[in-house]
Amino acid sequence: MLKYFATFEVFFEENLSKLFLHFKSYSLTPDIYLIDWIFTLYSRSLPLDLACRVWDVFCRDGEEFLFRTGLGILRLYEDILLQMDFIHIAQFLTKLPEDITSEKLFSCIAAIQMQNSTKKWTQVFASVMKDIKEGDKNSSPALKS
């Protein structure tokens, strides 16, 4: 999962740099919120109708969409999250507001660019895998000690 977190952070920093830095200032790492979102396919954090829509697109587009959804959620609530501290962010991301609409969420998901420079999700993930195999843990923020 660390490899996925590292790849997620590359796109997090690229798409939501201000929020990324805010999370970093509190040492808030993706494992705190993302593991629950991914392992439950968002069924614990999103209303069921929205989770079902996420599942549909995940089945069509693959695992990249699960991470894109995570970034979409962060984008949707960016202004609110920037006002919170570590504890409140962690609590908020564990159970998202029930009044979230599919239009707003999917609009935010669509705005997320899953391309870093000239590399797509799969290429960045492959690069992270290669770096880990070579023992270069400094190339990814999630893998830094």
Side-chain angles (χ1 to χ4, degrees), residues 7-17 19-20 30 33-34 37-38 42 64-78 81 105 108-115 121:
T7 306
F8 176 84
E9 283 197 311
V10 168
F11 292 98
F12 185 7
E13 184 174 19
E14 181 118 340
N15 283 279
L16 304 163
S17 58
L19 186 61
F20 176 81
Y33 54 94
L34 195 59
W37 289 355
I38 301 299
Y42 296 94
E64 176 185 315
F65 186 74
L66 295 177
F67 297 94
R68 189 174 186 180
T69 299
L71 292 169
I73 290 168
L74 296 176
R75 181 183 182 101
L76 179 62
Y77 294 111
E78 181 175 19
L81 293 168
L105 177 60
C108 288
I109 292 170
I112 297 298
Q113 299 298 313
M114 293 304 276
Q115 187 163 328
W121 169 269

Side-chain angles (χ1 to χ4, degrees), residues 3 5 10 12 29 36-37 42 59 76 80 82 98 101 122 126 143 145:
K3 298 161 195 139
F5 296 153
V10 168
F12 185 7
T29 56
D36 185 55
W37 289 355
Y42 296 94
C59 289
L76 179 62
I80 295 168
L82 285 169
E98 286 288 325
T101 66
T122 53
L143 298 175
S145 301

Side-chain angles (χ1 to χ4, degrees), residues 2-138:
L2 288 178
K3 298 161 195 139
Y4 284 104
F5 296 153
T7 306
F8 176 84
E9 283 197 311
V10 168
F11 292 98
F12 185 7
E13 184 174 19
E14 181 118 340
N15 283 279
L16 304 163
S17 58
K18 193 173 181 182
L19 186 61
F20 176 81
L21 292 174
H22 183 66
F23 277 33
K24 283 291 172 199
S25 72
Y26 287 110
S27 300
L28 190 82
T29 56
D31 60 299
I32 293 171
Y33 54 94
L34 195 59
I35 201 160
D36 185 55
W37 289 355
I38 301 299
F39 282 175
T40 65
L41 297 174
Y42 296 94
S43 63
R44 284 182 42 181
S45 52
L46 290 176
L48 185 58
D49 63 320
L50 273 178
C52 289
R53 287 197 59 196
V54 169
W55 302 342
D56 287 344
V57 182
F58 162 62
C59 289
R60 184 189 73 196
D61 294 352
E63 69 185 11
E64 176 185 315
F65 186 74
L66 295 177
F67 297 94
R68 189 174 186 180
T69 299
L71 292 169
I73 290 168
L74 296 176
R75 181 183 182 101
L76 179 62
Y77 294 111
E78 181 175 19
D79 293 339
I80 295 168
L81 293 168
L82 285 169
Q83 305 303 316
M84 294 180 176
D85 62 9
F86 179 93
I87 295 295
H88 290 104
I89 293 170
Q91 289 173 341
F92 184 88
L93 295 177
T94 300
K95 184 64 177 161
L96 299 168
E98 286 288 325
D99 64 352
I100 184 173
T101 66
S102 61
E103 293 79 20
K104 285 182 183 176
L105 177 60
F106 277 82
S107 172
C108 288
I109 292 170
I112 297 298
Q113 299 298 313
M114 293 304 276
Q115 187 163 328
N116 174 276
S117 303
T118 59
K119 293 181 178 180
K120 294 183 179 183
W121 169 269
T122 53
Q123 294 166 314
V124 172
F125 184 73
S127 178
V128 168
M129 294 287 286
K130 182 181 175 211
D131 289 346
I132 290 171
K133 285 180 183 174
E134 293 174 1
D136 180 15
K137 293 188 178 188
N138 292 326

